[in-house]
Amino acid sequence: MNRAPLVDPLTGAMNIYPNPAESKATVSYVLPMKSDKLTIKLLDMQGKIQMQRDITQPDLFGNVEFDISKLVGGMYLVKIESDVYQSTKKLVVER
């Protein structure tokens, strides 16, 4: 039986699936409290922004899908930032 990992809503969380991914990747997040703005960046390993989503008045939890079909295969970083939470995780893009 597959179960979603338990998340402590007081600390927040971010997950990326599927990972590795080929054409689309979804970033799921849980914020510990309300925030005015949420930014999700997909960066290459040199720190250059490849994609960015800015969300005003984000929900406490949500999913954001990225079309990664035009990215070169390799390792990327997904960085999520708000005034109440931040996290960075690796994403592998396969070709």
Side-chain angles (χ1 to χ4, degrees), residues 16-87:
I16 307 163
Y17 61 91
N19 193 5
E22 291 182 15
S23 60
K24 293 184 181 187
T26 300
V27 177
S28 64
Y29 66 87
V30 177
L31 298 176
M33 61 182 62
K34 277 292 200 187
S35 177
D36 292 330
K37 182 179 177 184
L38 176 70
T39 300
I40 303 173
K41 297 176 185 176
L42 189 106
L43 305 126
D44 63 22
M45 294 308 287
Q46 287 74 43
K48 183 177 176 188
I49 298 171
Q50 299 297 311
M51 296 180 185
Q52 180 171 324
R53 297 277 176 84
D54 295 309
I55 304 166
T56 55
Q57 301 297 317
D59 293 327
L60 287 176
F61 56 91
N63 297 308
V64 179
E65 186 175 271
F66 285 89
D67 178 358
I68 59 169
S69 62
K70 295 183 177 151
L71 294 178
V72 175
M75 183 86 63
Y76 293 84
L77 296 174
V78 177
K79 186 172 188 175
I80 186 170
E81 297 175 299
S82 77
D83 53 344
V84 297
Y85 178 74
Q86 67 178 7
S87 182

